[in-house]
Amino acid sequence: QKEVEQNSGPLSVPEGAIASLNCTYSDRGSQSFFWYRQYSGKSPELIMSIYSNGDKEDGRFTAQLNKASQYVSLLIRDSQPSDSATYLCAVNPPDSNYQLIWGAGTKLIIKP
Amino acid sequence: NAGVTQTPKFQVLKTGQSMTLQCAQDMNHNSMYWYRQDPGMGLRLIYYSASEGTTDKGEVPNGYNVSRLNKREFSLRLESAAPSQTSVYFCASSGPSSGAARYNEQFFGPGTRLTVL
């Protein structure tokens, strides 16, 4: 059974601090990893993709991938109230070019 | 570009009624997907179409049928709606991007909120 695990939260972070979201996956051969943001009542929005071990930075967002430990994380620097949302982790398993395995999401609350 | 569009946005059905959810994308993507999202359960794949002319079952296909009408359009049909099909339905599409099929960045439509009474 392929699984992607996330802490459901809510994770509460003060405004201006760093929010750290974590995700673990079970299929060691997975190659592509994605973070989506979903506001309440809206659809998921792709915010980061990462394919290689290490860090990938885009503005205030940094994705970190460690394939040996089978985890991927998302750091949000200088957190803003507008970052309050549910963050979904998705993983592309090695035996499918098309399907993603989804975590259930972590609810993030940024407190002003 | 509109991206991925879905109709309708909201729908209320009675048990046993049928309906079709429509999805279209203007990103020239090969692959399209139908998901349902229920509280606390994340996204679950119903059906997908890897390319025009092909469709495959996902994790939860029972009670649904799909049609890939052309490269742009992918519809989801509920033949006899049941209360267990009350959910939010999302359509998504993907490239491939970056010239490689395994880079499966999916882009979502706004969703359809369906209630079956």
Side-chain angles (χ1 to χ4, degrees), chain A residues 16-85:
Chain A
I18 296 175
S20 178
L21 304 163
N22 298 312
C23 170
T24 60
Y25 59 94
S26 62
D27 199 325
R28 183 171 289 277
S30 299
Q31 296 291 328
S32 309
F33 307 86
F34 307 93
W35 283 101
Y36 285 78
R37 178 176 62 199
Q38 187 174 26
Y39 293 116
S40 181
K42 301 296 185 182
S43 58
E45 173 192 10
L46 178 66
I47 55 172
M48 290 289 284
S49 307
I50 187 166
Y51 311 111
S52 304
N53 273 333
D55 294 0
K56 178 182 178 182
E57 187 174 318
D58 184 1
R60 295 186 297 112
F61 297 98
T62 299
Q64 299 176 318
L65 175 60
N66 185 323
K67 291 185 179 179
S69 300
Q70 295 176 241
Y71 81 80
V72 57
S73 61
L74 180 70
L75 302 179
I76 306 174
R77 290 182 300 280
D78 187 24
S79 296
Q80 302 296 310
S82 59
D83 295 325
S84 298

Side-chain angles (χ1 to χ4, degrees), chain B residues 67-88:
Chain B
S67 295
R68 183 74 183 266
L69 304 171
N70 47 55
K71 189 171 185 178
R72 292 186 62 250
E73 298 173 289
F74 189 38
S75 62
L76 178 72
R77 182 160 178 84
L78 287 70
E79 290 291 353
S80 179
S84 60
Q85 295 177 305
T86 294
S87 189
V88 180

Side-chain angles (χ1 to χ4, degrees), chain B residues 34-46:
Chain B
W34 277 105
Y35 290 95
R36 61 177 289 173
Q37 187 175 41
D38 302 295
M41 297 194 69
L43 288 162
R44 292 187 291 170
L45 184 64
I46 305 171

Side-chain angles (χ1 to χ4, degrees), chain B residues 8-14 19 21 38 64 76 78 81-83 85-89 111-117:
Chain B
K9 287 186 170 51
F10 301 93
Q11 184 70 50
V12 178
L13 293 177
K14 295 180 179 178
M19 77 161 297
L21 282 66
D38 302 295
Y64 305 95
L76 178 72
L78 287 70
Q85 295 177 305
T86 294
S87 189
V88 180
Y89 291 85
T112 295
R113 293 184 175 274
L114 175 66
T115 301
V116 183
L117 302 175

